[in-house]
Every structure is written in structure tokens, then in C-alpha cells.
Amino acid sequence: MKTALVWFRRDLRLADNPALAAALDAFDRVVPIHIHAPEEEAPWAPGAASRWWLHGSLESLDKDLRERGSALHLARGPTLEALLRLVEELGASAVYWNRLYEPAITRRDREIKRVLGERGVQARSFKATLLFEPWEVQTNQDQPYRVFTPFWRKARTQLQLRPPLPSPKKVPSIGAGSGLQLAALELLPTRNWDEGLHARWSRGEASAAKALSGFVDSSLAEYVDERDRPDLDATSGLSPHLHFGEISPMQIAWELDQRSGRAGHAEHANAAEGFLRQLAWREFSQHLLFHFPDMPERNLNPRFDAFKWADDDVGFIRRWQQGRTGIPMVDAGMRELWVSGTMHNRVRMLVASFLTKNLRQHWHHGQRWFWDTLVDADLANNAQGWQWTAGCGVDASPYFRIFNPVGQGIKFDPQGDYVRRWVAELSDVPAPLIHRPWMDNGLLARCGYPPPMIDLDASRQWALAAYKDLRA
């Protein structure tokens, strides 16, 4: 009987899983495996919140496999040694997996494919985490895109939707699985800081499908108009499910197309297209990381290598991390992040602008903090997002675009509900003052909320002057 290993990484689902489907089609027995080797992703080994999510996602995948007569085999790295050992122990003649695109991972996978081939083991990889391979969308000069809008215009013409692959009814395997116990991977925190994550999230393939269905049913129609409102439940919550592959972008794109077609209304089609564009931004980030692999470490715009970032002599970064800046929208976002492992995208841009421009701290500080605290921490999205806001990316917000957290709060949290939810000190403050509580000094004293750590207008001018020096 022919046996193949299916190496699960960040494709932790059974439906629309090309590697799994191909292995089931070609082999008598399929052994699902996951190899824990975070050191091989250095310097970007998964952060604490990501490890928490991974634990629950692996647990859910194993349960789904056991319902189909199989189980997830867990092992520790080094990955190549583990694969060779499993190939020999289980008599496997092939290893199938779905591709990832981070620089350290692609180098490792290329070497693994070479060594397996030399040993006579079939090694095949598949596209499963993106709508487009990072090399599939090119300019007319066969160059990578550096600006999102033309990238998406070209990608949209190339997009070919297909029905997602069904989830297998049975996964014929060898026994019920063996190897390490999940607890041995030590993914969960040793200190009890994850209560908010449990309250906010449900992990696994079934939860991802439920999140998509709920979003399409209840929020999609208003998505374009309301997606910038952190005080409303108007976004999908699919980002971590996508990152860990509990759902595929093709499943989402297909569902959007099918639902908007059945609805037969222009507003549904427009909303679906707006959400699809957000998926494309994720694709663009992967496109950039593939073609510019030093994006997490270096400014994509080399002019910013000479930018004069400020010293942190008074602990600005720590107060920003803790949500104690005295700026309500900034503090609400940072506290939401710490408690729930996520932050509304509009607020992500706002807190990033505040750190890199008002406080003039290097974007690396924010990138690292997000990497450790976001459950959807993605190397490409994180680096691209921080470079975009800091103004040093290839397709960046202009440096002189400095978000005003007061104006942003008034516009996108008009009644102050978002701030009240996350900044307990301001829970009883009326709307006219919620975004500017320092206008009443007595109020700050009564509620125990700190005054602003920095003057917004003065710090804006400070940032613009530094940018002017750079241009000179």
C-alpha cells in the first residue's frame, strides 16, 4: 500500500486543501503531520499570541481528523530530520504540503524538496494560502508591482474563481496517529494572560466557516460604509482564520461571488467587491515580501535610512504599549490589542501613526510589539502595514499624512462607545469630551486618566520638520 505524508503548516483545514486532496487521490494511506520548529523561522519565530492560536487550531484539526478515522501526528524539528525519520518509520514514498512564502521558510522548503528528491521521495507543494502566487501578477515589463492599485487592477483581470475542494469524508491512515502530545509543544502561556483571547475567539475550521457565514449574512451589505467604524461590529474577524489556513481565500472569494449573485442587488455586489479588495491587499503584501525579502528589516524606500528617529529617553514606547498615552483612541486600541489579540484596522493605522510620527519612534518597535500580541500576526502584512503608515514603504502613505487621533475618534467613534469599552477610566464620560477629556482638568483628576503624554499639534510639527530635513 502506498503511503504519503501530508505536512500541515498554516493550512489547518480539511476543506479546500490542495495538498491533502492530491495525496488522498494518489495514495492508499495518508499520514497528516505537523512539525514544530519555530527556530527555523528566526528572526521571526511566532509570537506569544500566535502560539496560543496555533495550539487551539491544531487541537481542532486533530479532532476533525479523528472523526474521519485518522489523527494529527506531531513532531519536533529540525524539520528535515523529522521528515526523513517519519518517511522511514512509516514507509512513505511522498511528502505533500502547501506553500508558504516567508524568506526563511522558502529557503528551508527548497532544501527539503532537494534532499527528499535525492532520497527518491516524491516532494510536491501546492498553492493554497493565496489567490495568486507572488510571481503570477507582474507588470507588462515582467517586474513586480510596487503600488497596490495597479496590482489589484491587473490581478482582478486574472482572478479565476473555482468551487472550493470538499472536505474528505475519510482519511485512511496508519493507526490513530502517534508522536508528541500537543502539550509537549509548549504553545500556551505559563502565566494566565489569555483570558481575553478565549473570550474573543473560537479557533478551528468550523469556527472560520461560521465567521464567514455570519459576516456575509449580517454585515457584508454595510461593509463598505461601516468598515472604518471600530465602535460597530462591521468587520469579518476572518484575519487569524486566514493566517492559520482554517479557511482559504478561495473559499471566501467563492462565497462572496455566490452570495452576491444570489442576492441580485448592486449594493451586495459592491460590498463583495470592496471586501475582495481587502483580500487583495493581503495578496499584495505577500507579493512585496516575496520580491523584497528584507521588507521586515529594511525601509523599502531607502531615503528613510537617513531619517532621524527620536530617542526614547522618557519611556514613550512602554506607555504606548500599555495604552497609557493619555490619547483615548490610541489607548483604546492598545488595550484592545492586549486583551483580545486584535485591533480594528482603522485604529491600527492610527496607533502606528502616533508611534512613528507624533512620538517619532522607529517602526521596528511597533512591528515587534504587534508581532508578539496579534493573533493574526503575519510577517508580510505586519511589515507592509508598518512601512505604509511610517511612510517608508514602496506604496506608502505620505509621511506628511499624520493621523489626528482626536479627529479620527470624532469621525469614526462619534458616540465614544469604542473608547468607553476599552478605557475603563472614561466609561462614564459623555460624548463631547470622550476624545478630549483633558479639556476638563477636573475630569482627568476625578477619573484617574492620565493627561496627554505629548502635545499633538507640537509633535506633528516636530515630525514634519524631521521629514523636511530628510528631503533636504
Side-chain angles (χ1 to χ4, degrees):
M1 297 183 71
K2 297 190 300 180
T3 300
L5 306 182
V6 175
W7 177 20
F8 284 86
R9 292 112 69 83
R10 291 204 299 273
D11 51 349
L12 304 177
R13 63 181 184 275
L14 302 182
D16 204 44
N17 189 315
L20 177 63
L24 289 171
D25 209 34
F27 292 85
D28 303 302
R29 300 182 300 193
V30 169
V31 181
I33 64 171
H34 175 80
I35 302 171
H36 186 58
E39 64 282 354
E40 295 176 1
E41 300 179 45
W44 296 100
S50 293
R51 295 194 299 271
W52 175 88
W53 189 287
L54 177 61
H55 180 100
S57 195
L58 291 173
E59 191 172 50
S60 176
L61 178 62
D62 182 61
K63 176 177 176 294
D64 293 342
L65 285 166
R66 288 179 184 275
E67 291 173 355
R68 291 161 175 81
S70 182
L72 185 63
H73 187 116
L74 299 175
R76 282 193 181 275
T79 298
L80 179 57
E81 293 179 14
L83 285 173
L84 292 174
R85 183 178 68 252
L86 289 169
V87 163
E88 184 175 355
E89 288 178 1
L90 301 172
S93 58
V95 181
Y96 284 17
W97 66 84
N98 294 311
R99 285 189 282 276
L100 296 172
Y101 306 95
E102 287 86 342
I105 293 176
T106 55
R107 288 193 297 269
R108 178 197 65 187
D109 291 358
R110 195 178 302 119
E111 176 67 7
I112 286 173
K113 189 171 284 190
R114 184 189 67 81
V115 173
L116 289 175
E118 290 177 350
R119 306 274 180 112
V121 179
Q122 184 187 12
R124 290 186 63 192
S125 61
F126 300 80
K127 178 175 73 173
T129 61
L130 296 173
L131 296 170
F132 305 96
E133 301 280 23
W135 54 86
E136 287 181 337
V137 182
Q138 301 283 348
T139 69
N140 293 335
Q141 291 75 40
D142 294 326
Q143 296 296 313
Y145 279 97
R146 299 167 68 93
V147 179
F148 172 72
T149 299
F151 168 86
W152 174 227
R153 192 180 299 123
K154 181 73 168 287
R156 192 65 180 91
T157 66
Q158 296 181 201
L159 179 60
Q160 296 182 341
L161 298 180
R162 59 161 176 80
L165 301 168
S167 179
K169 293 183 172 60
K170 185 173 178 59
V171 180
S173 187
I174 300 174
S178 58
L180 297 174
Q181 297 297 309
L182 183 56
L185 302 187
E186 299 178 330
L187 297 169
L188 296 179
T190 55
R191 296 174 57 191
N192 187 24
W193 54 258
D194 57 342
E195 291 182 1
L197 304 187
H198 284 285
R200 171 64 177 84
W201 299 105
S202 178
R203 294 157 289 177
E205 184 175 4
S207 296
K210 183 178 179 181
L212 174 60
S213 178
F215 169 69
V216 172
D217 288 340
S218 63
S219 301
L220 178 61
E222 292 78 32
Y223 176 74
V224 173
D225 294 330
E226 296 182 352
R227 69 183 182 90
D228 282 325
R229 292 281 300 273
D231 58 331
L232 303 177
D233 186 17
T235 56
S236 70
L238 285 169
S239 182
H241 297 294
L242 261 173
H243 175 71
F244 286 94
E246 297 172 349
I247 196 168
S248 74
M250 185 59 72
Q251 286 175 293
I252 297 173
W254 179 260
E255 182 68 10
L256 291 172
D257 182 72
Q258 295 297 295
R259 291 289 191 102
S260 60
R262 287 198 298 269
H265 299 299
E267 58 266 27
H268 281 81
N270 291 338
E273 190 68 19
F275 191 74
L276 190 62
R277 184 181 173 91
Q278 298 306 305
L279 283 181
W281 182 261
R282 175 178 179 267
E283 302 269 330
F284 182 57
S285 296
Q286 293 287 345
H287 173 87
L288 288 177
L289 180 63
F290 181 82
H291 292 287
F292 305 99
D294 58 355
M295 183 171 72
E297 284 80 32
R298 295 182 61 86
N299 301 312
L300 290 180
N301 182 348
R303 289 177 56 204
F304 272 83
D305 293 349
F307 187 75
K308 297 177 182 177
W309 300 103
D311 294 328
D312 187 27
D313 298 331
V314 292
F316 278 167
I317 294 172
R318 186 62 175 161
R319 289 184 62 181
W320 174 83
Q321 292 172 339
Q322 294 175 338
R324 296 190 302 108
T325 68
I327 310 295
M329 280 294 282
V330 173
D331 291 346
M334 299 307 294
R335 296 187 196 187
E336 178 189 19
L337 171 62
W338 179 255
V339 172
S340 69
T342 191
M343 188 192 303
H344 189 280
N345 189 59
R346 166 61 56 172
V347 187
R348 292 189 196 197
M349 293 188 290
L350 173 62
V351 303
S353 175
F354 183 78
L355 181 71
T356 58
K357 295 178 178 177
N358 294 95
L359 302 183
R360 231 174 78 207
Q361 299 298 314
H362 201 295
W363 58 273
H364 282 166
H365 297 298
Q367 179 187 222
R368 271 293 176 186
W369 185 249
F370 273 27
W371 182 254
D372 199 45
T373 53
L374 282 170
V375 292
D376 63 347
D378 177 272
L379 188 61
N381 284 353
N382 198 32
Q384 156 74 342
W386 276 95
Q387 291 222 36
W388 185 89
T389 307
C392 56
V394 291
D395 182 23
S397 169
Y399 185 83
F400 52 80
R401 184 189 181 194
I402 300 175
F403 284 80
N404 182 329
V406 174
Q408 292 281 302
I410 292 171
K411 183 175 181 179
F412 296 112
D413 183 30
Q415 301 305 313
D417 294 335
Y418 176 72
V419 167
R420 288 191 195 89
R421 179 181 180 186
W422 296 108
V423 183
E425 304 97 304
L426 302 179
S427 59
D428 296 324
V429 175
L433 285 174
I434 193 72
H435 296 294
R436 289 178 291 195
W438 56 84
M439 299 297 289
D440 180 343
N441 291 330
L443 174 62
L444 292 180
R446 293 193 301 274
C447 68
Y449 187 65
M453 62 191 290
I454 199 167
D455 182 274
L456 293 175
D457 291 334
S459 60
R460 181 178 186 276
Q461 295 305 317
W462 185 39
L464 292 175
Y467 180 62
K468 184 178 180 180
D469 289 343
L470 175 66
R471 295 181 65 192

